[in-house]
Amino acid sequence: MRLRELKLELTQQCPLACVHCSTDSHNKRTSALTEGTVLRLLREGSCLGLEKVAFTGGEPLLVPYLHAAIAQSSALGIRSSLYTCGAADSELNPLSVGAAKKLAEAGLGRFIFSLYSHSADVHNSVTRYQSFSTTVAALQTALATGIAVEIHFVAMRHNFRDLPDLVKAAAHWGVHRLSVLRFVPHGRGSNIADREDLTPEEMCELSSSITAARTTFPTVNVRAGSPYNVLGVGYTPCDAATEVLAINHRGEIFPCDAFKNVEYYDPAFGSVLNRSLSEVWERSAFLNRVREELAAGPIHECGSCEEFSGCRSGCLAQKVIRDGWAGSRRRDPGCLVQIDPAPAGPFETSESPVCVP
Protein backbone atom coordinates (compact mmCIF):
# COMPACT_ATOMS: atom_id res chain seq x y z
CA MET A 1 0.00 0.00 0.00
CA ARG A 2 1.35 3.34 -1.09
CA LEU A 3 0.33 6.65 0.41
CA ARG A 4 -0.79 8.70 -2.57
CA GLU A 5 -2.93 11.43 -1.02
CA LEU A 6 -2.68 13.34 2.25
CA LYS A 7 -5.51 15.49 3.58
CA LEU A 8 -4.29 18.05 6.08
CA GLU A 9 -6.61 20.06 8.32
CA LEU A 10 -4.39 23.07 8.82
CA THR A 11 -6.70 24.77 11.30
CA GLN A 12 -10.01 24.43 13.08
CA GLN A 13 -10.70 28.14 12.72
CA CYS A 14 -13.31 29.18 10.17
CA PRO A 15 -15.41 32.32 9.67
CA LEU A 16 -18.44 30.08 9.06
CA ALA A 17 -20.17 27.51 11.27
CA CYS A 18 -21.75 25.04 8.85
CA VAL A 19 -24.52 22.92 10.33
CA HIS A 20 -22.90 19.65 9.20
CA CYS A 21 -19.23 20.50 9.83
CA SER A 22 -17.24 17.42 10.78
CA THR A 23 -14.52 19.59 12.34
CA ASP A 24 -16.88 21.65 14.52
CA SER A 25 -15.19 24.74 13.14
CA HIS A 26 -16.01 28.37 13.80
CA ASN A 27 -14.20 31.65 14.20
CA LYS A 28 -13.21 31.21 17.86
CA ARG A 29 -11.49 27.84 17.40
CA THR A 30 -7.71 28.15 17.61
CA SER A 31 -6.41 24.58 17.29
CA ALA A 32 -4.03 24.28 14.34
CA LEU A 33 -1.09 22.34 12.95
CA THR A 34 2.20 24.22 13.11
CA GLU A 35 4.08 25.21 10.01
CA GLY A 36 6.98 22.97 11.04
CA THR A 37 4.71 19.93 11.35
CA VAL A 38 3.09 20.52 7.96
CA LEU A 39 6.37 21.05 6.12
CA ARG A 40 7.82 17.93 7.79
CA LEU A 41 4.83 15.85 6.74
CA LEU A 42 5.20 17.01 3.16
CA ARG A 43 8.88 16.06 3.12
CA GLU A 44 8.18 12.67 4.66
CA GLY A 45 5.25 12.14 2.33
CA SER A 46 7.44 12.83 -0.66
CA CYS A 47 9.77 10.04 0.47
CA LEU A 48 6.76 7.70 0.57
CA GLY A 49 5.73 8.58 -2.98
CA LEU A 50 3.01 11.07 -2.06
CA GLU A 51 1.34 12.45 -5.19
CA LYS A 52 -1.42 14.73 -3.87
CA VAL A 53 -2.09 16.88 -0.83
CA ALA A 54 -5.32 18.63 0.10
CA PHE A 55 -5.16 21.60 2.45
CA THR A 56 -8.40 21.82 4.40
CA GLY A 57 -9.75 23.26 7.64
CA GLY A 58 -11.51 25.08 9.04
CA GLU A 59 -10.57 27.72 6.51
CA PRO A 60 -6.99 27.33 5.26
CA LEU A 61 -6.95 30.87 3.83
CA LEU A 62 -6.66 32.03 7.45
CA VAL A 63 -3.38 30.14 7.94
CA PRO A 64 -0.32 32.42 7.64
CA TYR A 65 2.00 29.72 6.28
CA LEU A 66 -0.38 28.51 3.54
CA HIS A 67 1.81 29.87 0.73
CA ALA A 68 4.89 28.17 2.18
CA ALA A 69 3.06 24.84 2.36
CA ILE A 70 1.84 25.13 -1.23
CA ALA A 71 5.29 26.16 -2.44
CA GLN A 72 6.94 23.22 -0.71
CA SER A 73 4.37 20.84 -2.18
CA SER A 74 5.11 22.19 -5.64
CA ALA A 75 8.87 21.93 -5.12
CA LEU A 76 8.46 18.29 -4.08
CA GLY A 77 6.29 17.48 -7.10
CA ILE A 78 3.14 17.00 -4.99
CA ARG A 79 -0.07 18.33 -6.55
CA SER A 80 -1.98 20.52 -4.12
CA SER A 81 -5.67 21.33 -3.67
CA LEU A 82 -7.22 24.00 -1.47
CA TYR A 83 -10.61 23.39 0.18
CA THR A 84 -12.10 26.80 0.92
CA CYS A 85 -15.26 28.81 1.44
CA GLY A 86 -13.47 31.70 -0.25
CA ALA A 87 -13.44 33.98 2.79
CA ALA A 88 -10.08 35.62 3.35
CA ASP A 89 -10.90 36.83 6.86
CA SER A 90 -13.49 36.75 9.61
CA GLU A 91 -15.32 39.67 7.98
CA LEU A 92 -16.15 37.43 5.00
CA ASN A 93 -14.15 39.48 2.53
CA PRO A 94 -13.67 37.24 -0.51
CA LEU A 95 -10.34 36.01 -1.82
CA SER A 96 -8.78 38.91 -3.71
CA VAL A 97 -7.32 38.81 -7.20
CA GLY A 98 -3.85 39.46 -5.80
CA ALA A 99 -4.11 36.70 -3.21
CA ALA A 100 -5.39 34.25 -5.80
CA LYS A 101 -2.48 35.05 -8.11
CA LYS A 102 -0.01 34.49 -5.27
CA LEU A 103 -1.52 31.07 -4.60
CA ALA A 104 -1.18 30.27 -8.29
CA GLU A 105 2.42 31.46 -8.32
CA ALA A 106 3.16 29.28 -5.27
CA GLY A 107 2.08 26.26 -7.32
CA LEU A 108 -1.50 25.56 -6.20
CA GLY A 109 -3.10 22.98 -8.46
CA ARG A 110 -6.81 23.26 -7.67
CA PHE A 111 -9.38 25.33 -5.80
CA ILE A 112 -12.32 23.47 -4.25
CA PHE A 113 -15.25 25.59 -3.11
CA SER A 114 -18.11 24.38 -0.93
CA LEU A 115 -21.46 25.48 -2.33
CA TYR A 116 -24.69 24.08 -0.96
CA SER A 117 -27.18 25.59 -3.40
CA HIS A 118 -27.64 28.03 -6.27
CA SER A 119 -29.89 29.91 -3.84
CA ALA A 120 -28.22 32.32 -1.43
CA ASP A 121 -30.87 31.68 1.21
CA VAL A 122 -30.40 27.91 1.16
CA HIS A 123 -26.61 28.12 1.06
CA ASN A 124 -26.54 30.61 3.92
CA SER A 125 -28.86 28.41 5.99
CA VAL A 126 -26.14 25.74 5.86
CA THR A 127 -23.19 28.02 6.62
CA ARG A 128 -25.20 30.09 9.15
CA TYR A 129 -23.63 33.28 7.77
CA GLN A 130 -24.34 35.48 4.76
CA SER A 131 -21.55 33.75 2.87
CA PHE A 132 -23.03 32.97 -0.55
CA SER A 133 -21.85 36.15 -2.26
CA THR A 134 -18.39 35.73 -0.73
CA THR A 135 -17.97 32.18 -2.02
CA VAL A 136 -19.28 32.97 -5.51
CA ALA A 137 -17.04 36.03 -5.80
CA ALA A 138 -14.00 34.02 -4.68
CA LEU A 139 -14.88 31.23 -7.09
CA GLN A 140 -15.01 33.65 -10.01
CA THR A 141 -11.72 35.19 -8.93
CA ALA A 142 -10.15 31.72 -8.80
CA LEU A 143 -11.42 30.91 -12.29
CA ALA A 144 -9.62 33.98 -13.61
CA THR A 145 -6.25 32.55 -12.51
CA GLY A 146 -6.61 29.61 -14.88
CA ILE A 147 -6.22 27.10 -12.05
CA ALA A 148 -8.70 24.22 -11.98
CA VAL A 149 -11.81 25.02 -9.94
CA GLU A 150 -14.19 22.45 -8.45
CA ILE A 151 -17.42 22.72 -6.47
CA HIS A 152 -18.30 20.39 -3.60
CA PHE A 153 -21.98 19.93 -2.77
CA VAL A 154 -23.08 18.04 0.35
CA ALA A 155 -26.51 16.53 -0.27
CA MET A 156 -28.87 16.99 2.66
CA ARG A 157 -32.63 16.78 2.88
CA HIS A 158 -33.25 20.52 2.65
CA ASN A 159 -30.89 21.18 -0.27
CA PHE A 160 -30.47 18.03 -2.40
CA ARG A 161 -33.17 19.07 -4.86
CA ASP A 162 -31.12 22.19 -5.64
CA LEU A 163 -28.44 20.12 -7.38
CA PRO A 164 -29.72 20.58 -10.98
CA ASP A 165 -29.78 24.38 -10.64
CA LEU A 166 -26.35 24.39 -9.00
CA VAL A 167 -24.93 22.33 -11.89
CA LYS A 168 -26.55 24.81 -14.28
CA ALA A 169 -24.84 27.66 -12.40
CA ALA A 170 -21.51 25.81 -12.51
CA ALA A 171 -21.83 25.44 -16.28
CA HIS A 172 -22.59 29.15 -16.58
CA TRP A 173 -19.56 30.09 -14.48
CA GLY A 174 -17.27 27.78 -16.43
CA VAL A 175 -16.67 25.25 -13.64
CA HIS A 176 -16.04 21.84 -15.18
CA ARG A 177 -16.27 19.57 -12.12
CA LEU A 178 -18.83 19.27 -9.34
CA SER A 179 -18.60 16.56 -6.69
CA VAL A 180 -21.69 15.39 -4.83
CA LEU A 181 -20.66 14.46 -1.29
CA ARG A 182 -22.57 12.23 1.07
CA PHE A 183 -23.74 13.70 4.34
CA VAL A 184 -21.84 12.13 7.25
CA PRO A 185 -23.56 12.08 10.67
CA HIS A 186 -20.53 13.11 12.71
CA GLY A 187 -19.18 16.34 14.16
CA ARG A 188 -21.99 18.89 14.10
CA GLY A 189 -23.70 16.66 11.58
CA SER A 190 -24.60 14.26 14.38
CA ASN A 191 -26.96 16.92 15.73
CA ILE A 192 -29.00 17.14 12.53
CA ALA A 193 -28.88 13.57 11.21
CA ASP A 194 -32.52 12.88 12.05
CA ARG A 195 -33.72 15.74 9.85
CA GLU A 196 -31.03 15.95 7.15
CA ASP A 197 -30.08 12.35 6.35
CA LEU A 198 -31.66 11.30 3.06
CA THR A 199 -34.30 8.56 3.08
CA PRO A 200 -34.00 5.69 0.55
CA GLU A 201 -36.62 7.39 -1.61
CA GLU A 202 -34.68 10.66 -1.51
CA MET A 203 -31.47 8.78 -2.34
CA CYS A 204 -33.24 7.43 -5.43
CA GLU A 205 -34.29 10.94 -6.38
CA LEU A 206 -30.72 12.15 -5.96
CA SER A 207 -29.46 9.30 -8.14
CA SER A 208 -31.85 10.30 -10.92
CA SER A 209 -30.89 13.95 -10.50
CA ILE A 210 -27.19 13.19 -10.92
CA THR A 211 -27.85 11.14 -14.05
CA ALA A 212 -30.05 13.85 -15.55
CA ALA A 213 -27.55 16.62 -14.73
CA ARG A 214 -24.79 14.74 -16.52
CA THR A 215 -26.91 14.60 -19.66
CA THR A 216 -28.24 18.14 -19.47
CA PHE A 217 -24.92 19.83 -18.66
CA PRO A 218 -22.21 17.76 -20.41
CA THR A 219 -19.53 20.40 -19.80
CA VAL A 220 -19.70 19.71 -16.05
CA ASN A 221 -18.31 16.46 -14.69
CA VAL A 222 -20.89 15.66 -12.00
CA ARG A 223 -19.04 13.21 -9.78
CA ALA A 224 -20.17 11.06 -6.85
CA GLY A 225 -17.34 9.42 -4.90
CA SER A 226 -17.08 6.01 -3.26
CA PRO A 227 -19.43 6.78 -0.32
CA TYR A 228 -22.16 7.15 -2.96
CA ASN A 229 -21.46 3.90 -4.79
CA VAL A 230 -24.84 2.80 -3.42
CA LEU A 231 -26.54 5.25 -5.79
CA GLY A 232 -25.64 3.20 -8.84
CA VAL A 233 -24.33 6.22 -10.76
CA GLY A 234 -20.75 4.94 -11.02
CA TYR A 235 -18.23 2.92 -9.06
CA THR A 236 -15.25 4.49 -7.32
CA PRO A 237 -12.94 2.19 -5.31
CA CYS A 238 -12.61 3.09 -1.64
CA ASP A 239 -9.03 4.17 -0.94
CA ALA A 240 -9.37 4.83 2.80
CA ALA A 241 -6.15 3.78 4.57
CA THR A 242 -4.87 2.14 1.39
CA GLU A 243 -3.94 5.27 -0.56
CA VAL A 244 -5.37 8.11 1.53
CA LEU A 245 -4.65 9.45 5.00
CA ALA A 246 -6.45 12.31 6.76
CA ILE A 247 -4.79 14.29 9.56
CA ASN A 248 -6.79 16.71 11.67
CA HIS A 249 -5.80 20.01 13.27
CA ARG A 250 -4.58 18.14 16.37
CA GLY A 251 -2.34 15.80 14.41
CA GLU A 252 -4.64 12.80 14.88
CA ILE A 253 -4.85 10.38 11.95
CA PHE A 254 -7.89 8.91 10.21
CA PRO A 255 -8.33 6.53 7.28
CA CYS A 256 -10.34 9.16 5.35
CA ASP A 257 -12.44 12.27 5.92
CA ALA A 258 -15.57 10.24 6.63
CA PHE A 259 -13.82 8.47 9.51
CA LYS A 260 -13.00 11.72 11.30
CA ASN A 261 -14.30 11.63 14.87
CA VAL A 262 -14.37 7.83 14.96
CA GLU A 263 -12.38 6.99 18.06
CA TYR A 264 -9.94 4.08 17.84
CA TYR A 265 -7.54 3.38 20.68
CA ASP A 266 -4.08 3.70 19.18
CA PRO A 267 -1.80 5.51 21.65
CA ALA A 268 1.41 4.57 19.88
CA PHE A 269 0.64 5.43 16.25
CA GLY A 270 -2.52 7.51 16.35
CA SER A 271 -0.83 10.89 15.90
CA VAL A 272 1.84 12.39 13.65
CA LEU A 273 2.99 14.85 16.30
CA ASN A 274 5.35 12.38 17.93
CA ARG A 275 5.78 9.81 15.13
CA SER A 276 7.03 9.95 11.57
CA LEU A 277 4.53 9.73 8.77
CA SER A 278 5.94 6.40 7.62
CA GLU A 279 5.59 4.87 11.09
CA VAL A 280 1.98 5.97 11.37
CA TRP A 281 1.13 4.82 7.83
CA GLU A 282 2.61 1.38 8.31
CA ARG A 283 1.88 0.61 11.97
CA SER A 284 -1.35 2.37 12.95
CA ALA A 285 -3.83 -0.09 14.44
CA PHE A 286 -6.69 2.08 13.18
CA LEU A 287 -5.46 2.08 9.59
CA ASN A 288 -4.72 -1.63 9.65
CA ARG A 289 -8.19 -2.39 11.01
CA VAL A 290 -9.77 -0.53 8.10
CA ARG A 291 -7.47 -2.28 5.62
CA GLU A 292 -8.55 -5.65 6.99
CA GLU A 293 -12.22 -4.71 6.75
CA LEU A 294 -11.88 -3.52 3.16
CA ALA A 295 -9.98 -6.65 2.17
CA ALA A 296 -12.59 -9.00 3.66
CA GLY A 297 -14.95 -10.82 1.32
CA PRO A 298 -18.57 -9.83 0.70
CA ILE A 299 -20.93 -9.91 3.63
CA HIS A 300 -23.66 -12.56 3.66
CA GLU A 301 -26.43 -10.13 2.72
CA CYS A 302 -24.58 -8.86 -0.34
CA GLY A 303 -22.78 -11.88 -1.74
CA SER A 304 -25.46 -12.81 -4.26
CA CYS A 305 -26.73 -9.29 -4.99
CA GLU A 306 -26.49 -8.18 -8.61
CA GLU A 307 -25.49 -4.70 -7.46
CA PHE A 308 -22.53 -5.84 -5.34
CA SER A 309 -19.90 -5.19 -8.01
CA GLY A 310 -21.03 -1.57 -8.09
CA CYS A 311 -21.22 -0.79 -4.39
CA ARG A 312 -19.13 -3.45 -2.55
CA SER A 313 -21.55 -3.30 0.42
CA GLY A 314 -21.31 0.46 0.59
CA CYS A 315 -19.28 2.92 2.65
CA LEU A 316 -17.40 1.37 5.57
CA ALA A 317 -17.19 4.67 7.46
CA GLN A 318 -20.94 5.26 7.20
CA LYS A 319 -21.56 1.80 8.64
CA VAL A 320 -19.10 2.15 11.51
CA ILE A 321 -20.29 5.64 12.45
CA ARG A 322 -23.90 4.52 12.65
CA ASP A 323 -23.56 1.00 14.07
CA GLY A 324 -20.05 0.66 15.49
CA TRP A 325 -17.55 -1.87 14.22
CA ALA A 326 -20.18 -4.60 14.33
CA GLY A 327 -21.83 -2.73 11.49
CA SER A 328 -18.83 -3.22 9.22
CA ARG A 329 -20.20 -6.64 8.22
CA ARG A 330 -23.61 -5.29 7.35
CA ARG A 331 -24.80 -3.59 4.21
CA ASP A 332 -24.73 0.17 3.86
CA PRO A 333 -27.61 1.90 5.69
CA GLY A 334 -28.29 3.73 2.43
CA CYS A 335 -28.55 0.54 0.37
CA LEU A 336 -31.16 0.92 -2.37
CA VAL A 337 -31.87 -2.78 -2.70
CA GLN A 338 -34.76 -4.01 -0.61
CA ILE A 339 -34.25 -7.45 0.91
CA ASP A 340 -37.44 -9.27 1.75
CA PRO A 341 -37.19 -10.37 5.39
CA ALA A 342 -39.23 -13.45 4.48
CA PRO A 343 -36.79 -15.82 2.74
CA ALA A 344 -37.73 -17.23 -0.64
CA GLY A 345 -36.10 -20.51 0.32
CA PRO A 346 -34.10 -22.07 3.17
CA PHE A 347 -30.96 -20.05 2.35
CA GLU A 348 -32.25 -17.32 0.06
CA THR A 349 -33.59 -13.79 0.22
CA SER A 350 -35.75 -11.89 -2.18
CA GLU A 351 -34.11 -8.74 -3.53
CA SER A 352 -35.61 -5.81 -5.42
CA PRO A 353 -34.41 -2.27 -6.09
CA VAL A 354 -35.95 0.58 -4.17
CA CYS A 355 -35.59 2.81 -7.23
CA VAL A 356 -38.22 1.69 -9.71
CA PRO A 357 -38.11 3.36 -13.15
Side-chain angles (χ1 to χ4, degrees):
M1 287 167 291
R2 175 181 166 191
L3 178 60
R4 297 181 183 274
E5 182 173 6
L6 197 59
K7 296 188 175 183
L8 295 176
E9 272 187 5
L10 301 185
T11 179
Q12 193 181 16
Q13 185 181 18
C14 183
L16 309 181
C18 295
V19 295
H20 65 292
C21 180
S22 63
T23 312
D24 194 22
S25 293
H26 60 68
N27 207 37
K28 294 183 179 180
R29 300 292 191 192
T30 59
S31 178
L33 294 175
T34 66
E35 179 177 1
T37 295
V38 170
L39 298 184
R40 170 177 67 83
L41 291 172
L42 291 171
R43 291 192 300 269
E44 293 176 352
S46 177
C47 294
L48 296 175
L50 188 68
E51 298 173 0
K52 297 185 288 184
V53 61
F55 297 116
T56 74
E59 175 48 64
L61 289 177
L62 303 180
V63 175
Y65 62 80
L66 177 62
H67 289 82
I70 292 172
Q72 172 141 311
S73 301
S74 180
L76 293 170
I78 302 169
R79 301 192 302 276
S80 60
S81 298
L82 179 67
Y83 286 69
T84 178
C85 70
D89 53 40
S90 59
E91 302 302 317
L92 296 185
N93 290 306
L95 176 72
S96 68
V97 173
K101 287 182 177 178
K102 287 182 179 179
L103 292 173
E105 292 166 359
L108 181 65
R110 181 174 54 157
F111 286 98
I112 300 174
F113 292 92
S114 294
L115 268 174
Y116 305 110
S117 175
H118 68 294
S119 160
D121 288 343
V122 175
H123 173 87
N124 294 341
S125 72
V126 175
T127 67
R128 299 197 286 188
Y129 284 85
Q130 301 300 307
S131 63
F132 181 78
S133 60
T134 295
T135 300
V136 172
L139 181 150
Q140 293 173 326
T141 295
L143 284 167
T145 67
I147 294 176
V149 173
E150 181 176 341
I151 290 172
H152 276 192
F153 171 83
V154 178
M156 294 175 279
R157 186 169 297 160
H158 85 285
N159 75 329
F160 80 98
R161 292 189 177 94
D162 289 358
L163 177 63
D165 285 323
L166 182 59
V167 178
K168 180 180 179 179
H172 172 73
W173 292 324
V175 175
H176 297 299
R177 184 179 170 99
L178 186 151
S179 291
V180 183
L181 308 187
R182 188 171 177 181
F183 170 75
V184 185
H186 65 175
R188 277 203 290 268
S190 62
N191 300 323
I192 61 171
D194 59 338
R195 65 178 186 271
E196 292 295 351
D197 217 357
L198 299 187
T199 66
E201 291 75 19
E202 289 165 341
M203 293 270 278
C204 289
E205 190 177 340
L206 178 62
S207 175
S208 298
S209 181
I210 292 171
T211 300
R214 289 171 174 171
T215 301
T216 307
F217 304 102
T219 62
V220 182
N221 174 13
V222 182
R223 170 187 171 273
S226 61
Y228 263 147
N229 284 340
V230 292
L231 292 181
V233 294
Y235 173 67
T236 302
C238 176
D239 51 15
T242 58
E243 295 185 1
V244 170
L245 178 65
I247 299 173
N248 73 4
H249 51 90
R250 291 186 292 267
E252 299 163 339
I253 61 103
F254 300 93
C256 70
D257 288 331
F259 265 108
K260 287 192 307 184
N261 304 309
V262 172
E263 295 185 3
Y264 197 98
Y265 184 68
D266 192 358
F269 301 101
S271 170
V272 295
L273 297 186
N274 51 14
R275 294 285 186 177
S276 70
L277 187 60
S278 62
E279 287 181 297
V280 168
W281 179 246
E282 295 168 5
R283 302 176 68 178
S284 163
F286 193 179
L287 301 183
N288 285 323
R289 173 67 182 272
V290 169
R291 291 162 182 160
E292 291 169 4
E293 296 286 354
L294 292 176
I299 65 174
H300 174 70
E301 288 181 289
C302 302
S304 60
C305 179
E306 293 181 357
E307 305 298 325
F308 177 72
S309 62
C311 79
R312 309 294 296 182
S313 298
C315 176
L316 177 61
Q318 289 275 348
K319 294 188 284 186
V320 171
I321 289 168
R322 296 164 191 267
D323 298 315
W325 288 99
S328 65
R329 301 303 296 164
R330 301 172 189 157
R331 60 188 179 134
D332 192 296
C335 176
L336 299 184
V337 174
Q338 291 180 326
I339 299 181
D340 189 342
F347 304 103
E348 300 175 358
T349 58
S350 175
E351 301 168 355
S352 62
V354 174
C355 303
V356 179

